[in-house]
Structure formats: C-alpha cells, structure tokens
Amino acid sequence: MSTITQIPGPMVLRGITFGMYLRIRRSNPGYRMTYLDGKLEIMSPEYIHERGAKRIGVVVRVVASTLEIPFCGAGSTTFRLGDQTLKKGSGKEPDESFYFTHEPLIRGKDRIILPADPPPDLWIEADNRVSSEGRLPLYAR
C-alpha cells in the first residue's frame, strides 16, 4: 500500500517592499523565494521537485551538447528587478536556466544583474502544484 505525502505549501507574506525581499533573500539562501509586487512566497525545495527539474536540465545539456549549440547554464540564480522602497518588483530562482542566444553577452561574467544583463533564454520551473496559473505574470515579466 502506498502513501501519498502532501507537500507543504509555501509561507506567504504580503505587503513586503522589494527592499525587504532583498534583505530576506540575502539572509536565507537555502530557501526558494518568489516575489511579485509585495507578495513573497517562501518554501524549502522538496526532493520530488528537485528530481524533476534536474532531469529536464540534463536533457537540455545533452541535446545542446549533441547539436553543438553553445550554451551556459545559470542554474538557480536569483533573477530580480524592482525598486527598493516600493512594493513593486519581481524576484525568482528558476530550477534550471540556460543562455543560448545571449550566451556571448554573459560569457566570463561572475554576476548577472538585470536589466543590464539579459534574462536566461530558457527558464525551467518544475511546479508540483495543482495549478501554476498564478505564477504566469511573474514568468512573463
């Protein structure tokens, strides 16, 4: 008999300025965070989530290498844009991310800072929720 384990949902904080999000992000590097216009979700990654994301990342690497497509993996780098004093901005760590077209623009960099640098060309997000519809505005931004 198998047991289904419920993955705990994220902790949600509302009314958070972008500056507060940045301070929380810096002091809690082990957590995954999603920030969009004053709403901050904090969660700890689960194995089921990580396993799926890593598998997809391996497929991307193998296909790009086989087809000799230059790329750079940016992993789960935190990408963020916003105004420190306002509740306006966005921030998220993809499960995996890759540069293909924009790879020459970030080659040799130690830091990627939006909007001076381009976002990844491919962003992989494994979402084990019932619906990811609420995240679409963040991904579009």
Side-chain angles (χ1 to χ4, degrees):
M1 180 177 189
S2 65
T3 305
I4 298 175
T5 304
Q6 180 84 20
I7 296 174
M11 177 175 33
V12 178
L13 305 172
R14 298 184 194 298
I16 304 294
T17 66
F18 188 73
M20 290 168 65
Y21 155 67
L22 293 178
R23 287 190 295 279
I24 293 168
R25 171 76 264 156
R26 278 191 217 82
S27 62
N28 297 281
Y31 291 101
R32 294 289 175 96
M33 297 187 190
T34 301
Y35 179 80
L36 182 62
D37 298 339
K39 179 180 171 187
L40 176 62
E41 293 183 8
I42 303 171
M43 66 178 273
S44 178
E46 298 284 334
Y47 175 69
I48 188 172
H49 175 91
E50 295 296 303
R51 181 181 64 193
K54 296 299 176 202
R55 285 180 178 170
I56 295 169
V58 167
V59 169
V60 170
R61 284 177 176 85
V62 168
V63 169
S65 295
T66 300
L67 297 176
E68 298 181 358
I69 299 170
F71 72 95
C72 177
S76 58
T77 299
T78 301
F79 296 95
R80 51 187 159 243
L81 277 172
D83 183 311
Q84 297 243 7
T85 60
L86 301 177
K87 294 176 193 164
K88 182 109 175 112
S90 58
K92 181 86 175 96
E93 302 84 30
D95 295 320
E96 293 278 342
S97 61
F98 296 89
Y99 285 89
F100 296 98
T101 303
H102 293 111
E103 184 272 337
L105 299 174
I106 58 110
R107 186 182 304 144
K109 290 192 173 204
D110 292 328
R111 258 182 144 186
I112 298 169
I113 301 172
L114 303 177
D117 297 312
D121 297 305
L122 177 62
W123 178 301
I124 296 171
E125 185 69 27
D127 197 343
N128 300 6
R129 306 196 233 199
V130 174
S131 173
S132 299
E133 190 173 341
R135 297 265 177 103
L136 294 178
L138 174 68
Y139 299 145
R141 193 177 287 177

